[in-house]
Amino acid sequence: VMRIQTVEKPIVELIFADTSICEGESINLGTSTVGPDLSYSWSGPNDFESTEQFPELESLDELDEGFYLLSISKGGCISDQASVELNIRAKPEQPTISSNGPICRDNTLSFSTLSSGASAYHWIQDGNNEFVTTNPTYSVPNADEGDAGTWQLFIVRNGCESDLSNPTQAVVNPRPTAGAAALPNPVCQGGDIVLQGTSDLGGVIFQWNGPGLAMEQTIQDLTLTNASFLDQGSYQLKVTSLAGCADTTSIFVQVLEGISQVDLSYSAPNC
């Protein structure tokens, strides 16, 4: 008696349909067809071959784009081939980033890149604070020292992310706060008055201008002697740091009319 054993021809069922993936990423192909004595045979672009049920494709590039074919055999019976197409989307170029720094506190800190055509620009401060724009610029109005630090950028184009840019250092210099006082104020005509300048930063330059000054005076404390009505008015003080950051303030000096000496004479007759 001859016994004939029949083997059912395998049917390939792939785990996903045609798909696209970004250059440099990885993906697992696969089939949901399982069973005893099954053998898998994958082939594809760039000399790809595998006998695994779930082969991994790593660091994909344009040479890996195309159709991947799978056949399954059992007991000498080979399935019809099934295929899945991979489309490899180009990875954006590594962007460059530049800023307008160093700047002074309260000015606008700006960043820009020459990379164009992206759907999103991700600006990253110190590796954790992230800000997203849809154009190749980013601005921080009224910047302070907390906005300084290491900034980097990556872009998204066609759904694919670029590598991070090389870092740029953003510098926000402190701006001094100027203070002005006049002692005494008001001052009587003929008296002396001292204009006093202050700053919350050291190593600054003080510059005074006003009605009683023939030219700008570069000194912190300035004495006006023998005050007259020509010295009355608003005095402006500009304080500038070594980094070129400045603040201005003013003080109004009032000059009062002095008291003139009165000479008395005695003209009564003698007794």
Side-chain angles (χ1 to χ4, degrees):
V1 177
M2 178 180 294
R3 301 183 60 185
I4 298 176
Q5 182 178 4
T6 60
V7 177
E8 185 176 354
K9 182 179 178 180
I11 299 175
V12 177
E13 294 182 0
L14 298 175
I15 60 173
F16 58 80
D18 298 345
T19 189
S20 64
I21 190 171
C22 295
E23 179 184 359
E25 294 183 352
S26 300
I27 191 172
N28 280 97
L29 303 176
T31 176
S32 59
T33 303
V34 294
D37 303 321
L38 293 182
S39 297
Y40 304 96
S41 177
W42 290 91
S43 62
N46 204 17
D47 297 326
F48 172 77
E49 291 183 342
S50 176
T51 58
E52 298 180 10
Q53 181 182 355
F54 298 103
E56 183 178 14
L57 299 172
E58 298 179 324
S59 302
L60 293 165
D61 61 28
E62 60 183 9
L63 296 178
D64 299 309
E65 184 172 82
F67 288 91
Y68 288 79
L69 307 176
L70 171 63
S71 61
I72 302 175
S73 62
K74 179 178 181 180
C77 294
I78 302 175
S79 70
D80 296 329
Q81 281 189 330
S83 66
V84 59
E85 183 181 13
L86 289 187
N87 175 258
I88 310 300
R89 287 174 281 140
K91 182 177 182 177
E93 74 283 358
Q94 182 187 34
T96 59
I97 181 174
S98 59
S99 78
N100 65 335
I103 66 164
C104 298
R105 189 185 65 215
D106 300 326
N107 287 350
T108 297
L109 178 63
S110 299
F111 299 93
S112 62
T113 180
L114 296 177
S115 296
S116 60
S119 59
Y121 296 81
H122 295 251
W123 312 87
I124 301 174
Q125 180 194 20
D126 294 332
N128 48 34
N129 298 325
E130 185 172 340
F131 309 91
V132 182
T133 67
T134 56
N135 53 66
T137 60
Y138 176 66
S139 297
V140 183
N142 301 314
D144 59 27
E145 291 83 345
D147 298 308
T150 301
W151 285 77
Q152 289 178 281
L153 166 69
F154 73 87
I155 66 174
V156 179
R157 186 187 294 128
N158 197 23
C160 297
E161 295 182 0
S162 72
D163 291 331
L164 274 174
S165 69
N166 291 327
T168 186
Q169 295 296 321
V171 176
V172 180
N173 289 311
R175 187 185 298 274
T177 300
L183 296 174
N185 191 23
V187 62
C188 291
Q189 186 178 15
D192 295 343
I193 186 168
V194 178
L195 301 176
Q196 296 179 327
T198 60
S199 170
D200 59 343
L201 295 182
V204 297
I205 299 173
F206 295 86
Q207 298 166 283
W208 288 97
N209 285 282
L213 305 176
M215 58 186 298
E216 182 178 87
Q217 299 294 309
T218 306
I219 189 172
Q220 181 173 0
D221 297 329
L222 176 64
T223 301
L224 303 177
T225 59
N226 193 24
S228 71
F229 290 119
L230 296 177
D231 297 314
Q232 179 169 290
S234 179
Y235 287 79
Q236 292 78 42
L237 172 63
K238 181 179 181 180
V239 177
T240 306
S241 70
L242 295 178
C245 301
D247 186 35
T248 58
T249 189
S250 63
I251 183 78
F252 187 86
V253 172
Q254 184 180 10
V255 179
L256 302 178
E257 184 177 0
I259 299 175
S260 300
Q261 180 178 345
V262 178
D263 294 328
L264 300 177
S265 62
Y266 180 74
S267 60
N270 294 328
C271 296

